Amino acid sequence: LLSPLSHSHTSTPVPSHLFFLASLLLFAPPPILAVPSPPLLLNITSTSNTAATLSWSQPADNGGKPLTAYTIYAASPSPLFYASASSALPSSLLVSQLDVLHTLLSAIQQAEAGGEEEGPDVDDIFASISPTLFLPVWSGGESERSAVVSSLVANTNMTFFITASNDEGEGARSKLVWTVTPPSVPSALPPPTVGEVFFVDDTMKMPVYWDATDPLVAGGLPLIEYEVQIDEGFSADEYFPNRDQRGPFHTVGVTSEMYIELSEGHASYIIELFNMYFVRVRARNEQGWGPFSPPTLFEVGVNKKAE
């Protein structure tokens, strides 16, 4: 008879494939982490004279870690873009190098538009110019899929690419996309300057001149002419209670020069000594007239600027 404390026991063997799976879990190497692959489907959805809207899709591979940011870069063969972006061009950068950039970007654009792969020479040159000429113009979070890039210049060729980043770093660039911003009417000029009174054959004159040399205000086209207006003025005694009463304004001249002489008898009234006036100016290009400048307040015989 068997003792009540005795019993028979048969052990069940563990299948070998379970040992194999357990060993994989216990001794598997950690996943290889890397920077993300390039974002996909970068596209320019709209363009104005000062901005471009871009859209994209997330990268095919996030590098094994969540994405943290997207960064858009831009370049242009025009130095005006770099001035507008408030980033000074390196002193070693010459206009000839911008010409090389234009040729290079054109070659890359043609290759990418035709579905061709870029050759190593193009990639090497691109890598050498990218840190210098491609400026970061927008950065956003990992959930973003579109962006508006502003501070562009009218009538200028612009080229963009985008990168994705994770905690391991910034990934490779996307394909390039490009556009030409349309021209526009000129921007407002700075307030004009009024000089001292002088006399020609007993006729009182006052010089008015303005600065229209900044190419960023030209709208991407040559400036053709300027219109100068002054208001009807008031005596010095009326100045303080009426200092904000500007206008109505009357055109006193249209000129292709950045200079005009006001004189007695302009328009339908007389510019009188010691009276006070507001003067303003605007510019025109092939797109039309731009807005008037802020007005300058002057007293005939005294140069004084409006606050």
Side-chain angles (χ1 to χ4, degrees):
L1 295 176
L2 295 174
S3 165
L5 297 177
S6 330
H7 63 277
S8 62
H9 177 73
T10 303
S11 59
T12 302
V14 177
S16 59
H17 71 277
L18 294 180
F19 278 115
F20 176 72
L21 293 176
S23 66
L24 289 179
L25 294 174
L26 291 173
F27 303 107
I32 298 176
L33 301 177
V35 296
S37 60
L40 303 174
L41 304 177
L42 181 63
N43 183 45
I44 299 175
T45 58
S46 65
T47 304
S48 71
N49 59 298
T50 59
T53 302
L54 288 79
S55 64
W56 62 91
S57 297
Q58 65 184 23
D61 181 5
N62 65 4
K65 299 192 78 172
L67 299 179
T68 56
Y70 290 103
T71 305
I72 295 175
Y73 294 81
S76 172
S78 170
L80 295 182
F81 159 68
Y82 299 93
S84 177
S86 299
S87 177
L89 285 170
S91 58
S92 60
L93 184 66
L94 304 175
V95 173
S96 59
Q97 291 172 287
L98 290 175
D99 292 338
V100 171
L101 171 65
H102 177 70
T103 302
L104 172 64
L105 293 180
S106 297
I108 296 175
Q109 291 167 2
Q110 290 175 5
E112 293 192 342
E116 303 173 13
E117 294 185 2
E118 298 170 24
D121 291 342
V122 170
D123 277 339
D124 289 345
I125 299 173
F126 183 91
S128 68
I129 62 140
S130 179
T132 302
L133 294 177
F134 275 85
L135 303 179
V137 292
W138 180 90
S139 182
E142 57 85 22
S143 62
E144 303 286 350
R145 294 295 180 269
S146 66
V148 176
V149 177
S150 56
S151 298
L152 303 185
V153 181
N155 202 22
T156 301
N157 187 302
M158 296 299 308
T159 302
F160 303 93
F161 68 82
I162 188 171
T163 63
S165 299
N166 60 17
D167 287 341
E168 296 296 310
E170 187 175 20
R173 71 170 180 86
S174 68
K175 70 169 186 175
L176 298 178
V177 293
W178 55 92
T179 186
V180 177
T181 55
S184 68
V185 299
S187 303
L189 300 177
T193 299
V194 181
E196 297 294 335
V197 165
F198 65 97
F199 290 86
V200 176
D201 297 330
D202 295 329
T203 299
M204 183 173 59
K205 294 180 177 293
M206 288 195 70
V208 178
Y209 46 95
W210 51 91
D211 183 8
T213 59
D214 184 354
L216 293 176
V217 308
L221 294 170
L223 297 178
I224 300 172
E225 58 186 358
Y226 310 92
E227 179 183 9
V228 181
Q229 291 188 340
I230 64 174
D231 70 349
E232 295 184 349
F234 40 86
S235 68
D237 293 339
E238 299 174 305
Y239 167 60
F240 286 102
N242 296 282
R243 62 181 302 171
D244 294 325
Q245 295 181 14
R246 301 173 179 175
F249 283 89
H250 302 269
T251 299
V252 295
V254 175
T255 175
S256 60
E257 305 294 330
M258 289 184 287
Y259 174 87
I260 196 172
E261 291 178 357
L262 302 179
S263 62
E264 293 176 289
H266 255 130
S268 58
Y269 52 92
I270 297 174
I271 296 178
E272 297 180 356
L273 193 63
F274 304 124
N275 269 10
M276 309 189 78
Y277 301 87
F278 286 106
V279 60
R280 63 185 187 180
V281 62
R282 63 175 178 171
R284 182 175 75 86
N285 61 19
E286 289 181 356
Q287 294 289 305
W289 287 103
F292 278 100
S293 69
T296 294
L297 175 66
F298 69 94
E299 181 178 355
V300 177
V302 179
N303 185 0
K304 187 171 184 179
K305 207 173 216 181
E307 296 180 357

PDB file of all heavy atoms in Angstrom, residues 48-50 153-156 180-186 218-221 285-287:
ATOM      1  N   SER A  48       2.480  84.462 -52.186  1.00  0.00           N
ATOM      2  CA  SER A  48       2.190  85.887 -52.361  1.00  0.00           C
ATOM      3  C   SER A  48       3.517  86.601 -52.560  1.00  0.00           C
ATOM      4  O   SER A  48       4.579  85.968 -52.613  1.00  0.00           O
ATOM      5  CB  SER A  48       1.457  86.441 -51.142  1.00  0.00           C
ATOM      6  OG  SER A  48       2.325  86.520 -50.027  1.00  0.00           O
ATOM      7  N   ASN A  49       3.480  87.916 -52.645  1.00  0.00           N
ATOM      8  CA  ASN A  49       4.723  88.652 -52.875  1.00  0.00           C
ATOM      9  C   ASN A  49       5.642  88.645 -51.655  1.00  0.00           C
ATOM     10  O   ASN A  49       6.833  88.904 -51.773  1.00  0.00           O
ATOM     11  CB  ASN A  49       4.417  90.098 -53.292  1.00  0.00           C
ATOM     12  CG  ASN A  49       3.612  90.836 -52.243  1.00  0.00           C
ATOM     13  OD1 ASN A  49       2.492  90.439 -51.935  1.00  0.00           O
ATOM     14  ND2 ASN A  49       4.143  91.911 -51.703  1.00  0.00           N
ATOM     15  N   THR A  50       5.118  88.322 -50.474  1.00  0.00           N
ATOM     16  CA  THR A  50       5.954  88.328 -49.271  1.00  0.00           C
ATOM     17  C   THR A  50       5.904  87.030 -48.472  1.00  0.00           C
ATOM     18  O   THR A  50       6.557  86.931 -47.429  1.00  0.00           O
ATOM     19  CB  THR A  50       5.528  89.468 -48.330  1.00  0.00           C
ATOM     20  OG1 THR A  50       4.142  89.305 -47.970  1.00  0.00           O
ATOM     21  CG2 THR A  50       5.742  90.827 -48.984  1.00  0.00           C
ATOM     22  N   VAL A 153      10.650  88.268 -50.477  1.00  0.00           N
ATOM     23  CA  VAL A 153      10.809  89.461 -51.295  1.00  0.00           C
ATOM     24  C   VAL A 153      10.049  89.263 -52.599  1.00  0.00           C
ATOM     25  O   VAL A 153      10.079  88.178 -53.184  1.00  0.00           O
ATOM     26  CB  VAL A 153      12.296  89.733 -51.579  1.00  0.00           C
ATOM     27  CG1 VAL A 153      12.470  90.986 -52.421  1.00  0.00           C
ATOM     28  CG2 VAL A 153      13.060  89.870 -50.262  1.00  0.00           C
ATOM     29  N   ALA A 154       9.357  90.304 -53.047  1.00  0.00           N
ATOM     30  CA  ALA A 154       8.562  90.218 -54.275  1.00  0.00           C
ATOM     31  C   ALA A 154       9.444  89.953 -55.490  1.00  0.00           C
ATOM     32  O   ALA A 154      10.578  90.422 -55.580  1.00  0.00           O
ATOM     33  CB  ALA A 154       7.773  91.509 -54.476  1.00  0.00           C
ATOM     34  N   ASN A 155       8.885  89.182 -56.432  1.00  0.00           N
ATOM     35  CA  ASN A 155       9.521  88.920 -57.726  1.00  0.00           C
ATOM     36  C   ASN A 155      10.904  88.288 -57.556  1.00  0.00           C
ATOM     37  O   ASN A 155      11.881  88.701 -58.172  1.00  0.00           O
ATOM     38  CB  ASN A 155       9.632  90.213 -58.542  1.00  0.00           C
ATOM     39  CG  ASN A 155       9.768  89.944 -60.033  1.00  0.00           C
ATOM     40  OD1 ASN A 155       9.389  88.884 -60.524  1.00  0.00           O
ATOM     41  ND2 ASN A 155      10.314  90.898 -60.760  1.00  0.00           N
ATOM     42  N   THR A 156      10.971  87.256 -56.708  1.00  0.00           N
ATOM     43  CA  THR A 156      12.239  86.609 -56.373  1.00  0.00           C
ATOM     44  C   THR A 156      12.081  85.095 -56.418  1.00  0.00           C
ATOM     45  O   THR A 156      11.082  84.548 -55.950  1.00  0.00           O
ATOM     46  CB  THR A 156      12.712  87.024 -54.966  1.00  0.00           C
ATOM     47  OG1 THR A 156      12.856  88.446 -54.929  1.00  0.00           O
ATOM     48  CG2 THR A 156      14.033  86.389 -54.610  1.00  0.00           C
ATOM     49  N   VAL A 180       8.447  81.340 -57.593  1.00  0.00           N
ATOM     50  CA  VAL A 180       8.822  82.737 -57.816  1.00  0.00           C
ATOM     51  C   VAL A 180       7.723  83.603 -57.215  1.00  0.00           C
ATOM     52  O   VAL A 180       6.553  83.490 -57.606  1.00  0.00           O
ATOM     53  CB  VAL A 180       9.001  83.061 -59.308  1.00  0.00           C
ATOM     54  CG1 VAL A 180       9.322  84.542 -59.498  1.00  0.00           C
ATOM     55  CG2 VAL A 180      10.115  82.208 -59.920  1.00  0.00           C
ATOM     56  N   THR A 181       8.071  84.439 -56.250  1.00  0.00           N
ATOM     57  CA  THR A 181       7.075  85.326 -55.654  1.00  0.00           C
ATOM     58  C   THR A 181       6.646  86.366 -56.684  1.00  0.00           C
ATOM     59  O   THR A 181       7.475  86.863 -57.448  1.00  0.00           O
ATOM     60  CB  THR A 181       7.638  86.031 -54.418  1.00  0.00           C
ATOM     61  OG1 THR A 181       8.839  86.718 -54.786  1.00  0.00           O
ATOM     62  CG2 THR A 181       7.961  85.034 -53.307  1.00  0.00           C
ATOM     63  N   PRO A 182       5.371  86.715 -56.733  1.00  0.00           N
ATOM     64  CA  PRO A 182       4.920  87.693 -57.728  1.00  0.00           C
ATOM     65  C   PRO A 182       5.341  89.108 -57.355  1.00  0.00           C
ATOM     66  O   PRO A 182       5.595  89.403 -56.177  1.00  0.00           O
ATOM     67  CB  PRO A 182       3.392  87.552 -57.679  1.00  0.00           C
ATOM     68  CG  PRO A 182       3.105  87.063 -56.300  1.00  0.00           C
ATOM     69  CD  PRO A 182       4.260  86.169 -55.928  1.00  0.00           C
ATOM     70  N   PRO A 183       5.435  90.015 -58.334  1.00  0.00           N
ATOM     71  CA  PRO A 183       5.720  91.420 -58.008  1.00  0.00           C
ATOM     72  C   PRO A 183       4.511  92.074 -57.351  1.00  0.00           C
ATOM     73  O   PRO A 183       3.394  91.537 -57.385  1.00  0.00           O
ATOM     74  CB  PRO A 183       6.020  92.035 -59.376  1.00  0.00           C
ATOM     75  CG  PRO A 183       5.296  91.175 -60.350  1.00  0.00           C
ATOM     76  CD  PRO A 183       5.309  89.784 -59.783  1.00  0.00           C
ATOM     77  N   SER A 184       4.729  93.243 -56.778  1.00  0.00           N
ATOM     78  CA  SER A 184       3.649  93.969 -56.117  1.00  0.00           C
ATOM     79  C   SER A 184       3.881  95.460 -56.289  1.00  0.00           C
ATOM     80  O   SER A 184       4.928  95.896 -56.779  1.00  0.00           O
ATOM     81  CB  SER A 184       3.610  93.631 -54.620  1.00  0.00           C
ATOM     82  OG  SER A 184       4.748  94.154 -53.965  1.00  0.00           O
ATOM     83  N   VAL A 185       2.901  96.259 -55.881  1.00  0.00           N
ATOM     84  CA  VAL A 185       3.115  97.707 -55.859  1.00  0.00           C
ATOM     85  C   VAL A 185       4.172  98.020 -54.806  1.00  0.00           C
ATOM     86  O   VAL A 185       4.439  97.209 -53.910  1.00  0.00           O
ATOM     87  CB  VAL A 185       1.804  98.459 -55.546  1.00  0.00           C
ATOM     88  CG1 VAL A 185       0.755  98.179 -56.600  1.00  0.00           C
ATOM     89  CG2 VAL A 185       1.293  98.095 -54.151  1.00  0.00           C
ATOM     90  N   PRO A 186       4.804  99.172 -54.879  1.00  0.00           N
ATOM     91  CA  PRO A 186       5.827  99.501 -53.873  1.00  0.00           C
ATOM     92  C   PRO A 186       5.247  99.598 -52.466  1.00  0.00           C
ATOM     93  O   PRO A 186       4.054  99.847 -52.273  1.00  0.00           O
ATOM     94  CB  PRO A 186       6.346 100.874 -54.343  1.00  0.00           C
ATOM     95  CG  PRO A 186       5.968 100.967 -55.782  1.00  0.00           C
ATOM     96  CD  PRO A 186       4.685 100.209 -55.926  1.00  0.00           C
ATOM     97  N   ALA A 218      10.579  98.321 -53.322  1.00  0.00           N
ATOM     98  CA  ALA A 218      10.248  98.551 -54.733  1.00  0.00           C
ATOM     99  C   ALA A 218       9.211  97.587 -55.283  1.00  0.00           C
ATOM    100  O   ALA A 218       8.743  97.769 -56.409  1.00  0.00           O
ATOM    101  CB  ALA A 218      11.519  98.483 -55.581  1.00  0.00           C
ATOM    102  N   GLY A 219       8.855  96.533 -54.538  1.00  0.00           N
ATOM    103  CA  GLY A 219       7.871  95.569 -55.037  1.00  0.00           C
ATOM    104  C   GLY A 219       8.429  94.630 -56.080  1.00  0.00           C
ATOM    105  O   GLY A 219       7.664  93.991 -56.812  1.00  0.00           O
ATOM    106  N   GLY A 220       9.740  94.535 -56.191  1.00  0.00           N
ATOM    107  CA  GLY A 220      10.349  93.623 -57.146  1.00  0.00           C
ATOM    108  C   GLY A 220      10.467  94.160 -58.555  1.00  0.00           C
ATOM    109  O   GLY A 220      10.861  93.426 -59.466  1.00  0.00           O
ATOM    110  N   LEU A 221      10.134  95.437 -58.749  1.00  0.00           N
ATOM    111  CA  LEU A 221      10.190  96.053 -60.079  1.00  0.00           C
ATOM    112  C   LEU A 221      10.827  97.436 -59.971  1.00  0.00           C
ATOM    113  O   LEU A 221      10.798  98.046 -58.898  1.00  0.00           O
ATOM    114  CB  LEU A 221       8.782  96.186 -60.672  1.00  0.00           C
ATOM    115  CG  LEU A 221       8.035  94.893 -60.991  1.00  0.00           C
ATOM    116  CD1 LEU A 221       6.572  95.200 -61.325  1.00  0.00           C
ATOM    117  CD2 LEU A 221       8.699  94.135 -62.136  1.00  0.00           C
ATOM    118  N   ASN A 285       5.359 101.649 -59.575  1.00  0.00           N
ATOM    119  CA  ASN A 285       6.056 100.780 -60.516  1.00  0.00           C
ATOM    120  C   ASN A 285       5.038 100.250 -61.523  1.00  0.00           C
ATOM    121  O   ASN A 285       3.906 100.762 -61.589  1.00  0.00           O
ATOM    122  CB  ASN A 285       6.800  99.635 -59.795  1.00  0.00           C
ATOM    123  CG  ASN A 285       5.862  98.727 -59.010  1.00  0.00           C
ATOM    124  OD1 ASN A 285       4.644  98.692 -59.238  1.00  0.00           O
ATOM    125  ND2 ASN A 285       6.417  97.982 -58.074  1.00  0.00           N
ATOM    126  N   GLU A 286       5.388  99.230 -62.302  1.00  0.00           N
ATOM    127  CA  GLU A 286       4.469  98.748 -63.331  1.00  0.00           C
ATOM    128  C   GLU A 286       3.193  98.156 -62.752  1.00  0.00           C
ATOM    129  O   GLU A 286       2.185  98.026 -63.455  1.00  0.00           O
ATOM    130  CB  GLU A 286       5.172  97.706 -64.203  1.00  0.00           C
ATOM    131  CG  GLU A 286       6.248  98.288 -65.113  1.00  0.00           C
ATOM    132  CD  GLU A 286       6.888  97.226 -65.976  1.00  0.00           C
ATOM    133  OE1 GLU A 286       6.545  96.032 -65.802  1.00  0.00           O
ATOM    134  OE2 GLU A 286       7.729  97.580 -66.823  1.00  0.00           O
ATOM    135  N   GLN A 287       3.215  97.792 -61.475  1.00  0.00           N
ATOM    136  CA  GLN A 287       2.022  97.239 -60.841  1.00  0.00           C
ATOM    137  C   GLN A 287       1.065  98.319 -60.344  1.00  0.00           C
ATOM    138  O   GLN A 287      -0.089  98.031 -60.060  1.00  0.00           O
ATOM    139  CB  GLN A 287       2.425  96.341 -59.665  1.00  0.00           C
ATOM    140  CG  GLN A 287       3.191  95.092 -60.062  1.00  0.00           C
ATOM    141  CD  GLN A 287       2.312  94.085 -60.765  1.00  0.00           C
ATOM    142  OE1 GLN A 287       1.272  93.681 -60.250  1.00  0.00           O
ATOM    143  NE2 GLN A 287       2.712  93.662 -61.958  1.00  0.00           N
TER     144      GLN A 287
END
